[in-house]
Amino acid sequence: MKERPLTLLTFIVLLFTGVVAIAGGIPMILDQSSEVLGIQQNLLNESSFSNYLVLGLLLFGVIGIGSLVAAFILWKKPEISWITTMLAGIALIIWITLQVSITGYVSKLQPFIFIIGVLEFVLGFSYIKFVKMKKFSGYKISYRYYR
């Protein structure tokens, strides 16, 4: 992968999101009370979840694996990476919005996670914008924008 600024930034953001989500999801799956992570069980009192198993599986699978798959696609198939990057961003935005609606604002990381989701979405969208500008300007389009 050639190191273009948007490519590198997108790859790093997706990789970071994937690794952090997997690192957070595994303890939630293994210790469903999530005491290892310092998460209070009473945060789920007003939700439909009795423990953190389902949330850990979603964090691990959808956010973690999803972000790593998006990073892999960016590396291997940049011409379709815009959609996986945008989907990863949307998934992260939905995740953190639901988390805040279930548990309330409990961490200073929650706004940061929301911003990362928006960043992923905008980076994916920027590729679409670039492709459309190239098509309408009469230049021969190169799908190697992210490479």
Side-chain angles (χ1 to χ4, degrees):
M1 173 169 52
K2 290 183 184 174
E3 296 179 9
R4 296 204 177 180
L6 283 179
T7 306
L8 194 56
L9 177 62
T10 306
F11 189 78
I12 289 169
V13 168
L14 289 170
L15 197 61
F16 172 78
T17 303
V19 169
V20 169
I22 287 173
I26 289 174
M28 291 172 80
I29 294 167
L30 297 177
D31 176 22
Q32 294 153 17
S33 68
S34 285
E35 290 176 7
V36 172
L37 293 174
I39 301 173
Q40 301 166 356
Q41 185 73 27
N42 65 353
L43 293 175
L44 297 178
N45 286 348
E46 296 183 26
S47 74
S48 57
F49 300 104
S50 59
N51 59 38
Y52 287 96
L53 176 63
V54 173
L55 299 173
L57 288 169
L58 290 172
L59 182 60
F60 178 87
V62 176
I63 306 299
I65 300 297
S67 293
L68 293 180
V69 166
F72 180 77
I73 290 173
L74 172 63
W75 182 43
K76 289 293 188 182
K77 288 270 215 187
E79 61 273 9
I80 62 168
S81 66
W82 62 270
I83 189 138
T84 56
T85 303
M86 288 176 70
L87 287 173
I90 290 168
L92 192 56
I93 291 167
I94 291 171
W95 167 264
I96 198 63
T97 302
L98 289 175
Q99 183 189 80
V100 170
S101 69
I102 290 171
T103 65
Y105 181 74
V106 294
S107 171
K108 293 180 181 178
L109 288 176
Q110 290 170 324
F112 176 72
I113 293 168
F114 184 83
I115 291 169
I116 294 290
V118 171
L119 179 63
E120 288 177 3
F121 182 83
V122 168
L123 286 168
F125 187 77
S126 71
Y127 182 72
I128 296 172
K129 188 76 170 160
F130 177 80
V131 169
K132 284 185 178 180
M133 284 182 359
K134 284 288 191 179
K135 281 183 180 177
F136 293 122
S137 65
Y139 291 105
K140 193 172 189 175
I141 188 163
S142 170
Y143 288 106
R144 298 292 178 196
Y145 169 65
Y146 272 128
R147 281 197 142 187

